[in-house]
Amino acid sequence: MKFTDGYWQLRPGVTVLRPGAVESVEPDERSFTVFAPIGKITGRGDTLNRPVVTVRFFSPAPGVVGVTVGHHSGGLPKQPRFALAEDGGHPVRVEVTGLSARLTTGELTVRVALTGPWQVDFLRGDKLVTSSTERSIGVVTDAEGGKYVHDRLALGVGETVYGLGERFGAYVKNGQTVDIWNADGGTASEQAYKNVPFYLSSAGYGVFVDHPEHVSFEVGSEVVSQTQFSVPGQSLTYHVIDGPTPKDVLRRYTALTGRPARVPAWSYGLWLSTSFTTSYDEKTVTEFIDGMAERDLPLSVFHFDCFWMRQFHWVDFVWDPATFPDPEGMLRRLHERGLKVCVWINPYIAQRSYLFEEGRQAGYLVRNPDGSIWQWDKWQAGMALVDFTNPDAARWFADKLKVLLDIGVDCFKTDFGERIPTDVVWHDGADPQRMHNYYSHLYNKTVFELLETERGRGEAVVFARSATAGGQQFPVHWGGDCESTFVAMAESLRGGLSLAASGFGYWSHDIGGFEGTPDATVFKRWIAFGLLSSHSRLHGSGSYRVPWAYDDEAVEVLRRFTRLKMSLMPYLAAAADEAHREGIPVMRPMIVEFPDDPAAAYLDRQYMLGPDLLVAPVMSADGQVTYYVPAGTWTNLMTGAQVTGPGWVSEKHGFDTVPVLARPGAVIPFGSVTDRPDYPWADGVRLRWYAPAPGQRTRVRIPSPDGGPGTEFEVHHQDGTATAELVAGVSSGYSCEVTEVAK
């Protein structure tokens, strides 16, 4: 949201109060508060009719400085608020001298100048990280009388900004206006399903704006040398999160807002869907599964999309008797074939659903100010919303889902949750503006916690579309409704990279695209991208995604990349364990792994899969792909070809290969099973060491599929030979081999 007309003027009707020199500071043991009147105070008379901006500095967690900018503080507290894991016991040092007030946590210090114009500096040691300057803070009244508060933090030369949720436009956010407001807008617009008021800076820090409601970011746009963030009302709270590396920032941010849960091993396998508006019944489902088995295509999960229920009844959680007359028997038969089952749900209750009247009478549905049920006809006729601020309503919704779990459903696709009205009344009195984005959090939390209760921790997984800050705790998330084109493939990847930079550990997308029917070329290229993602699902809108619907080669390509992913499970599981323990995503923007390489800043058509595999999806019909490799000799896992960086590489690939390169010196563990993801990953593991340095010694940890103690090997390279030693855990057999740099 912009308030200025160029650098010098305000927009018509806009007034802004800005802090002048600091009048006084009040410290305590863990924080200090600064009082800064508007303009200069030259005498007692200047203290009259003079607004004061109050700014409090504190530390909610190690290496994090919180800032609250306020004007009038008499407003009623508003809910909901983000649930933060604040640590009140970590060391904080507060110092006030005649020149400055300082607060230090870890290596991060905030310093407020007590003389001269307004100046706030954030420092790591003696190095300036960012700052809020004389014109940064604004208490705004717009032409209609609306109130806003903003601050601006300086951008350095060459500094780039990432994150702010799953955004499908330009990956680097500099120059953009970004509104944090969940919307069902597809992947081809500036709207986003997953809006997160957090950005990651290449300068080694992050900023989290602690407001669930609408937050507007001007990233080097209103003022090209600063990032501005504004919220409606009389106060603004944000947190500056220290690095110095992107990984350090993500660790601190997810420690504050929540780490991704561990998901079950079977969820990493291939998911196949009925698709959305296609015609399907149990016979169709059986034919699909038989077809996969006959073609030797590993399959782990079968997904039933919306029409498992009767039309106009979404949701009532009742199987359509015309197409699925024996759901319990069908689910049992699918389980007997070694498959898990997912079904589609949303938090909306159609008027025709029997749950509508049940929910209305019990007070479980969101209401209008006059006490009537809020309804509209978009999506489902007369649909209402479940009010998850009512604990009884959340339990009611979960109890309906438990019935499905009891007959054999294993997980849920938690679709929708974005189009939440703001002219309604919530059970707990929550502010409607804040609930718009936060609704997705309560919805997915309700479903995920039910799965954890019924299946156990580490066995819960959803396929969620909507989210906000903290939603990373309830994985997995997928990219939403994209078209079936190479352009949409690229925009989907940009969305995934932005979401990863926002603290989300796992991400998926619809292989082949959702809208329309991909041609065979797009479908086959997308297969490689999909299977080299943390989670992999074949799903479409009006057409099926079984590979034989495209051509025979698509079957071969799907088999090749599915088996490759299954063999990589020891490696992927270690990356997932890092996401769960430390908040580092499985699919990583290049800048997360290579923050000191200037070329990594703008790379949005490639990524790191875990710490040691570079993936560059082929997004062209002719197989041409250009990608960048950082320093060292990188080895293609599929072809053995080596490329040496730093530099750009152009290659041509058939459908059976893709640039997937091992980092120099990396040990990639390959599992002994290629037809399923849930197997003893350390048994029969092959430790492949790529381009090691002479005398290099390193350790490789392989988690256990059940979350128990893992297995650890130490490998040593000497005179062209690699040896491995089991140092922890159990393995029924292992081997070690080395790929040297070609002479």
Side-chain angles (χ1 to χ4, degrees):
M1 178 176 288
K2 293 181 174 68
F3 303 106
T4 57
D5 177 11
Y7 187 71
W8 305 110
Q9 301 183 95
L10 297 173
R11 295 198 169 194
V14 172
T15 61
V16 179
L17 306 178
R18 302 190 190 281
V22 172
E23 183 268 338
S24 62
V25 57
E26 294 182 357
D28 60 31
E29 290 184 356
R30 302 186 62 81
S31 68
F32 64 87
T33 302
V34 171
F35 301 91
I38 306 306
K40 284 187 176 182
I41 304 296
T42 59
R44 287 185 171 181
D46 292 334
T47 65
L48 306 177
N49 305 309
R50 178 81 58 171
V52 174
V53 176
T54 304
V55 187
R56 179 173 177 260
F57 298 88
F58 59 99
S59 176
V64 180
V65 170
V67 182
T68 296
V69 180
H71 182 214
H72 293 161
S73 61
L76 297 175
K78 294 182 178 180
Q79 296 295 332
R81 299 182 59 85
F82 290 124
L84 304 183
E86 299 191 26
D87 177 359
H90 67 283
V92 174
R93 186 171 71 254
V94 175
E95 303 171 274
V96 179
T97 68
L99 297 178
S100 67
R102 293 171 172 252
L103 181 148
T104 299
T105 169
E107 297 182 3
L108 183 64
T109 295
V110 60
R111 179 182 64 198
V112 181
L114 301 183
T115 61
W118 181 259
Q119 181 73 34
V120 178
D121 295 324
F122 295 89
L123 307 106
R124 184 179 306 112
D126 295 328
K127 180 182 178 181
L128 181 65
V129 175
T130 188
S131 56
S132 171
T133 58
E134 187 174 4
R135 295 165 57 87
S136 291
I137 287 179
V139 177
V140 180
T141 303
D142 68 13
E144 288 75 41
K147 307 292 185 181
Y148 301 87
V149 180
H150 71 68
D151 203 349
R152 299 176 185 147
L153 295 180
L155 292 169
V157 175
E159 183 176 344
T160 45
V161 170
Y162 310 90
L164 298 173
E166 182 189 52
R167 317 209 77 83
F168 304 102
Y171 160 61
V172 175
K173 301 302 180 281
N174 297 54
Q176 298 182 41
T177 298
V178 176
D179 289 310
I180 303 299
W181 193 253
N182 283 2
D184 181 357
T187 68
S189 77
E190 64 182 5
Q191 296 179 357
Y193 303 107
K194 307 168 190 69
N195 286 268
V196 181
F198 166 79
Y199 68 83
L200 177 67
S201 167
S202 65
Y205 69 94
V207 175
F208 171 50
V209 180
D210 191 5
H211 289 258
E213 70 268 37
H214 178 241
V215 183
S216 183
F217 287 84
E218 298 287 346
V219 186
S221 47
E222 181 159 26
V223 178
V224 297
S225 59
Q226 296 177 316
T227 295
Q228 174 179 290
F229 32 91
S230 61
V231 296
Q234 296 276 355
S235 69
L236 162 70
T237 296
Y238 66 92
H239 305 282
V240 175
I241 303 172
D242 192 22
T245 70
K247 287 184 179 180
D248 292 327
V249 176
L250 291 173
R251 287 185 185 102
R252 296 185 198 278
Y253 170 70
T254 56
L256 188 64
T257 60
R259 295 266 165 81
R262 185 169 56 84
V263 295
W266 54 261
S267 72
Y268 296 97
L270 181 63
W271 300 47
L272 175 63
S273 165
T274 58
S275 290
F276 172 31
T277 59
T278 50
S279 176
Y280 50 86
D281 54 16
E282 183 175 358
K283 180 174 180 291
T284 313
V285 171
T286 302
E287 288 174 350
F288 283 174
I289 294 170
D290 286 344
M292 297 290 282
E294 291 163 3
R295 293 166 175 84
D296 194 25
L297 296 169
L299 183 64
S300 296
V301 185
F302 194 86
H303 168 69
F304 293 83
D305 217 52
C306 313
F307 284 94
W308 69 271
M309 290 176 280
R310 295 165 293 174
Q311 60 192 21
F312 294 112
H313 288 259
W314 305 343
V315 291
D316 62 1
F317 307 125
V318 175
W319 292 83
D320 186 343
T323 49
F324 300 106
D326 179 24
E328 190 167 359
M330 178 183 65
L331 298 181
R332 184 181 64 253
R333 289 186 284 276
L334 293 179
H335 284 156
E336 288 170 351
R337 302 187 69 159
L339 296 174
K340 299 293 184 179
V341 175
C342 176
V343 298
W344 176 93
I345 63 171
N346 71 191
Y348 311 147
I349 309 293
Q351 184 170 283
R352 198 169 169 187
S353 166
Y354 83 94
L355 297 179
F356 181 89
E357 186 60 23
E358 190 174 306
R360 185 188 70 81
Q361 291 189 15
Y364 295 160
L365 305 178
V366 175
R367 296 185 178 272
N368 292 308
D370 65 2
S372 61
I373 301 300
W374 179 90
Q375 294 178 263
W376 69 359
D377 290 325
K378 289 184 180 180
W379 186 239
Q380 288 290 283
M383 56 160 268
L385 296 171
V386 176
D387 187 345
F388 289 104
T389 72
N390 182 343
D392 292 335
R395 279 191 292 270
W396 170 72
F397 189 81
D399 286 345
K400 302 299 180 182
L401 297 180
K402 183 178 181 301
V403 174
L404 294 169
L405 297 179
D406 289 344
I407 67 168
V409 169
D410 297 290
C411 59
F412 300 101
K413 172 184 171 182
T414 49
D415 206 353
F416 289 85
E418 303 94 358
R419 292 176 177 168
I420 306 304
T422 57
D423 56 350
V424 294
V425 175
W426 296 90
H427 170 81
D428 71 348
D431 175 58
Q433 294 291 328
R434 289 177 168 237
M435 275 301 297
H436 174 84
N437 291 336
Y438 201 71
Y439 185 86
S440 64
H441 189 83
L442 296 180
Y443 163 41
N444 283 292
K445 181 175 185 284
T446 297
V447 179
F448 198 86
E449 288 182 347
L450 167 71
L451 287 165
E452 286 193 322
T453 298
E454 295 299 314
R455 298 292 189 256
R457 286 184 177 270
E459 288 298 316
V461 65
V462 297
F463 238 78
R465 191 174 75 174
S466 59
T468 188
Q472 67 270 9
Q473 298 170 88
F474 317 122
V476 168
H477 296 82
W478 103 97
D481 300 347
C482 56
E483 296 178 335
S484 298
T485 64
F486 285 122
V487 171
M489 188 174 168
E491 71 198 20
S492 293
L493 177 53
R494 291 195 298 270
L497 295 176
S498 291
L499 192 67
S502 306
F504 282 66
Y506 312 89
W507 180 75
S508 187
H509 44 98
D510 293 336
I511 295 175
F514 177 74
E515 294 290 350
T517 302
D519 63 35
T521 299
V522 170
F523 182 70
K524 286 180 284 190
R525 297 292 183 200
W526 210 315
I527 285 172
F529 176 32
L531 271 299
L532 291 170
S533 301
S534 81
H535 287 75
S536 311
R537 185 179 70 167
L538 293 162
H539 178 68
S541 180
S543 56
Y544 301 126
R545 292 292 180 268
V546 288
W548 54 90
Y550 298 89
D551 60 28
D552 290 341
E553 189 177 34
V555 174
E556 301 297 324
V557 172
L558 182 63
R559 182 187 305 115
R560 179 167 172 80
F561 281 98
T562 304
R563 290 190 176 279
L564 173 64
K565 184 179 184 182
M566 298 304 93
S567 72
L568 286 171
M569 275 309 303
Y571 171 80
L572 294 174
D577 189 57
E578 188 178 12
H580 171 58
R581 291 185 294 105
E582 299 186 35
I584 311 301
V586 175
M587 298 175 67
R588 306 171 186 185
M590 294 296 292
I591 196 168
V592 171
E593 282 294 333
F594 301 96
D596 297 325
D597 188 333
Y602 287 87
L603 298 175
D604 63 0
R605 297 192 302 277
Q606 63 186 74
Y607 56 94
M608 296 297 292
L609 183 62
D612 293 324
L613 291 181
L614 186 159
V615 180
V618 179
M619 302 183 191
S620 64
D622 62 4
Q624 286 293 142
V625 58
T626 299
Y627 60 94
Y628 174 83
V629 289
T633 299
W634 297 69
T635 307
N636 191 305
L637 294 192
M638 306 186 78
T639 68
Q642 293 184 330
V643 294
T644 300
W648 290 90
V649 179
S650 292
E651 296 175 345
K652 187 170 184 177
H653 285 260
F655 294 111
D656 61 340
T657 63
V658 68
V660 51
L661 289 84
R663 190 173 187 163
V667 179
I668 307 296
F670 285 81
S672 59
V673 176
T674 62
D675 62 354
R676 60 185 305 115
D678 44 346
Y679 60 90
W681 296 321
D683 287 352
V685 67
R686 289 174 298 153
L687 304 171
R688 294 188 181 177
W689 204 344
Y690 293 91
Q696 183 178 347
R697 186 182 296 271
T698 189
R699 289 203 171 198
V700 180
R701 182 180 178 275
I702 299 174
S704 171
D706 62 4
T711 301
E712 191 168 344
F713 299 91
E714 181 169 283
V715 294
H716 181 221
H717 178 260
Q718 193 68 42
D719 300 326
T721 302
T723 58
E725 178 186 357
L726 179 66
V727 295
V730 177
S731 173
S732 64
Y734 56 92
S735 61
C736 186
E737 55 194 70
V738 64
T739 299
E740 300 281 6
V741 176
K743 303 297 185 184

